[in-house]
Amino acid sequence: ENSLEVALQMALSVPLDDIAAYPKLSKAYYSFIEILFRSHKTTIFQLDTTIFMQIMTTVHDGLQSSDATISSFCANAIDHLTTYYFYNQGKDKIEMRNLNKHLAAQPNLFSSLTATLFNLLLFGPPQNHWAVMRPMLSLMLASESSFAAYKDHLLSSQSPENQAKLNETLTKLLADVNRSLDSANRDRFTQKLTAFRVTARQFLTL
């Protein structure tokens, strides 16, 4: 436990500009953050909200990295976070109390991540789209209102003709998707996201 705390303090002491500037450092940092969200949720959720949000800012930035390894680490970190939230929301656990405190201080966290993930899927480079698909289902189930808000925003940015096409594609995306994060449902949704990306990119305008 002491080793974990020392490693965490070292990671948090690295200037944000250095994380972005040095590729080897970036990969080490984001690999560590992914492990924290995967296996040490108690530790990361009990951090001060300012520090937790500092970490989430770096995850949000890393998600948009041109390096597929870094964006994959960040996507997995988000998936660990939102999967945990989906399965444990409403439960009286110390981890959830701490996480809810962070979300209350930054209520747009899930909506911001949703918008970035979908924008990367629809408008981003092709090498990133496999990575960004991983947390999309868990994020949508953890915060359905965030997806609804992004859908409304995307529709409002398109012409009436494109809005009709987009509504149809979104309906296909959401058809037969269950409120479950079992592997079969995840795989089915990933296949649907791939088809959604291909179809929507044919007519969407920036």
Side-chain angles (χ1 to χ4, degrees), residues 134 137 182-193:
R134 174 70 185 172
L137 181 60
D182 62 61
S183 56
N185 199 45
R186 280 185 183 269
D187 290 346
R188 183 165 57 248
F189 190 66
T190 298
Q191 291 168 3
K192 284 173 164 288
L193 278 170

Side-chain angles (χ1 to χ4, degrees), residues 3 5 11 39 44 89 105 114 120 129 137 150 157 169 175 185 193:
S3 301
E5 284 188 17
S39 303
I44 199 160
Q89 58 186 318
T114 299
L120 284 170
H129 80 262
L137 181 60
Y150 178 77
S157 70
T169 354
N185 199 45
L193 278 170

Side-chain angles (χ1 to χ4, degrees), residues 11-149:
L12 292 173
S13 69
V14 178
L16 298 184
D17 289 346
D18 286 359
I19 294 171
Y22 300 102
K24 285 186 178 178
L25 177 61
S26 287
K27 286 180 182 174
Y29 172 84
Y30 285 115
S31 172
F32 178 62
I33 295 301
E34 192 269 336
I35 290 167
L36 283 176
F37 276 100
R38 174 167 24 107
S39 303
H40 302 283
K41 295 177 184 69
T42 301
T43 299
I44 199 160
F45 292 163
Q46 73 185 8
L47 292 169
D48 179 81
T49 293
T50 304
I51 296 171
F52 180 81
M53 287 305 166
Q54 174 189 322
I55 291 171
M56 289 310 302
T57 297
T58 64
V59 169
H60 188 262
D61 290 346
L63 193 60
Q64 301 166 79
S65 170
S66 58
D67 186 316
T69 303
I70 291 173
S71 60
S72 185
F73 281 141
C74 294
N76 286 337
I78 294 165
D79 186 52
H80 299 319
L81 168 66
T82 51
T83 297
Y84 183 85
Y85 184 85
F86 174 68
Y87 281 126
N88 292 282
Q89 58 186 318
K91 294 181 181 177
D92 186 22
K93 302 170 74 167
I94 183 63
E95 292 88 354
M96 278 306 294
R97 289 202 294 272
N98 285 329
L99 180 53
N100 283 326
K101 179 184 68 176
H102 301 321
L103 293 173
Q106 193 71 33
N108 67 341
L109 175 64
F110 284 164
S111 58
S112 174
L113 291 172
T114 299
T116 298
L117 284 166
F118 270 94
N119 285 339
L120 284 170
L121 180 73
L122 292 170
F123 308 113
Q127 68 266 26
N128 277 27
H129 80 262
W130 284 110
V132 303
M133 280 195 255
R134 174 70 185 172
M136 286 177 127
L137 181 60
S138 59
L139 182 54
M140 286 172 65
L141 293 179
S143 180
E144 293 181 37
S145 61
S146 294
F147 174 69

